[in-house]
Amino acid sequence: DFSDFTEMMRALGYPRLISMENFHTPNFMLVSEVLLWLVKRYEPQSDIPGDVDTEQDRVFFIKAVAQFMATKAHIRLNTKKLYQADGLAVKELLKVTSVLYGAMSTQGGQRAPLPEEDGAKVKFELGSKVADLKAARQLASEITSRGAVLYDLLGKEVELREARTESIARPLEINEAEKVMKIAINSVLEEVQKTKDMLNNVALDEASLEAKIEKRKLELERSQKRLQTLQSVRPAFMDEYEKLEEQLQKQYSTYLEKFRNVTYMEQLLDDQRRAEQEMFEEAANMLRLIQNRLKEEEQHLLKSAS
């Protein structure tokens, strides 16, 4: 399984070399780096944060990746094994790499063999051209609509040309033109008056806003002074809180160690049960062979006696 994982990661273009030595001890930084890289390979536009400095950030990161893979790729990941970041986490990572590798190497419904020498040169860029494809579709639709409008306008050009020629040939009447100009001038004067009224209102609003801003500044200064006063005073329960926090950290470390031991013991128990089942099946097969051989010998003796 681990050799398949390393080969698939190399074929997908992972920039670093991965060996089994990296997972002999818990290596959460490497697991988080691989998970984030696989998510970006599956969907480059994903926005999963890569902060894993604190325990809370690590838990949030593992849950976000598991939820992303469950909703986008329908892959169920064991968050506990991923958080352990040891050899058991490789099996969970293999679920994602198998899907990505299968999508990359499948041609005509048949899966290509694992690459041996040139796998590192293969680049899998799923979804990298989605934005370009959407833009191209939008431009194609816009070109079609603009072309239809232009075709309709060109179809009306014959009628419009006649009307335009008739309007140009018509003699200009001074009285009518003067009347139209007066109407246009009055309209412009009305717009100018409206603009002046709006400017006056803006000045009043500006004065009101400045007064409100000054009031908020005073409130902010009072709040900052009060905050500084509260920060300078150490709460009475702070010493007890720090002691409890330290005890909680120790208890959590103990819990984490016991949890890893329990998981390891469960793995050993599963292996033991699997071995016992194989031994039982082997014994049953051996007993069946002996019974068949005895039946054949019995039949042979009966035939010889007759």
Side-chain angles (χ1 to χ4, degrees):
D1 293 342
F2 187 81
S3 61
D4 292 342
F5 173 70
T6 55
E7 288 295 331
M8 290 180 184
M9 290 297 292
R10 186 167 64 89
L12 292 174
Y14 188 66
R16 293 177 52 186
L17 295 176
I18 303 175
S19 64
M20 193 60 188
E21 300 295 333
N22 299 130
F23 296 96
H24 278 172
T25 58
N27 192 348
F28 191 86
M29 299 303 296
L30 179 59
V31 172
S32 62
E33 181 182 346
V34 172
L35 282 174
L36 188 60
W37 186 86
L38 291 174
V39 169
K40 293 295 183 182
R41 278 298 186 188
Y42 191 86
E43 185 172 335
Q45 289 80 16
S46 60
D47 56 351
I48 295 179
D51 298 332
V52 291
D53 296 333
T54 63
E55 296 175 0
Q56 185 177 3
D57 292 338
R58 294 181 178 184
V59 173
F60 179 78
F61 173 77
I62 292 297
K63 288 184 177 179
V65 172
Q67 184 177 4
F68 174 84
M69 285 299 171
T71 56
K72 298 292 185 179
H74 303 288
I75 300 174
R76 296 183 61 182
L77 299 177
N78 191 322
T79 54
K80 293 182 179 179
K81 292 182 179 180
L82 287 176
Y83 189 82
Q84 289 177 221
D86 52 10
L88 297 177
V90 176
K91 295 182 178 180
E92 303 302 317
L93 296 175
L94 189 59
K95 297 178 181 178
V96 184
T97 54
S98 299
V99 174
L100 293 177
Y101 180 79
M104 181 191 69
S105 58
T106 299
Q107 296 178 353
Q110 297 180 356
R111 182 172 177 175
L114 283 172
E116 297 180 355
E117 296 180 355
D118 300 332
K121 299 180 181 179
V122 180
K123 299 297 180 181
F124 180 61
E125 299 178 353
L126 180 62
S128 61
K129 301 297 182 181
V130 174
D132 295 340
L133 180 59
K134 291 182 179 178
R137 288 179 178 176
Q138 184 177 0
L139 289 175
S141 177
E142 186 176 354
I143 290 172
T144 304
S145 61
R146 295 289 178 86
V149 173
L150 181 60
Y151 179 79
D152 294 338
L153 293 176
L154 291 175
K156 297 178 182 179
E157 174 61 20
V158 177
E159 300 177 0
L160 294 176
R161 186 187 303 125
E162 294 178 357
R164 184 169 59 250
T165 304
E166 183 180 354
S167 298
I168 294 173
R170 185 183 303 170
L172 182 63
E173 297 180 1
I174 302 299
N175 295 332
E176 187 69 21
E178 185 179 359
K179 183 179 179 180
V180 173
M181 290 297 296
K182 286 182 179 180
I183 294 174
I185 290 171
N186 292 331
S187 177
V188 171
L189 291 176
E190 290 178 0
E191 293 294 332
V192 170
Q193 187 61 37
K194 289 181 180 179
T195 304
K196 289 181 179 180
D197 294 339
M198 291 176 63
L199 290 174
N200 293 331
N201 293 332
V202 167
L204 295 175
D205 293 341
E206 185 178 359
S208 177
L209 288 174
E210 288 180 354
K212 290 181 180 179
I213 291 173
E214 190 65 26
K215 182 179 179 181
R216 291 291 187 272
K217 285 182 178 179
L218 295 175
E219 292 179 357
L220 179 61
E221 290 178 359
R222 288 195 296 268
S223 299
Q224 287 178 347
K225 290 180 181 179
R226 184 179 179 186
L227 177 62
Q228 291 176 358
T229 303
L230 293 174
Q231 288 177 346
S232 62
V233 178
R234 182 180 177 84
F237 58 84
M238 199 64 188
D239 295 336
E240 184 179 0
Y241 171 78
E242 291 177 353
K243 291 181 181 179
L244 292 176
E245 186 177 12
E246 184 178 356
Q247 293 177 3
L248 178 62
Q249 184 66 28
K250 294 179 179 179
Q251 291 292 334
Y252 179 76
S253 300
T254 304
Y255 163 75
L256 189 60
E257 182 179 359
K258 291 183 178 180
F259 176 78
R260 289 176 177 171
N261 292 335
V262 168
T263 305
Y264 178 71
M265 295 301 293
E266 289 177 351
Q267 183 69 25
L268 292 179
L269 181 60
D270 292 339
D271 295 341
Q272 182 66 26
R273 289 175 177 174
R274 192 179 301 108
E276 291 178 355
Q277 182 66 24
E278 292 177 355
M279 292 176 61
F280 176 77
E281 292 178 356
E282 185 178 356
N285 293 331
M286 183 63 69
L287 180 60
R288 193 178 300 109
L289 291 175
I290 293 173
Q291 290 177 350
N292 293 333
R293 188 179 300 172
L294 290 175
K295 287 182 180 179
E296 292 176 357
E297 292 178 356
E298 184 179 357
Q299 292 176 359
H300 181 68
L301 291 174
L302 291 175
K303 288 181 180 180
S304 300
S306 60

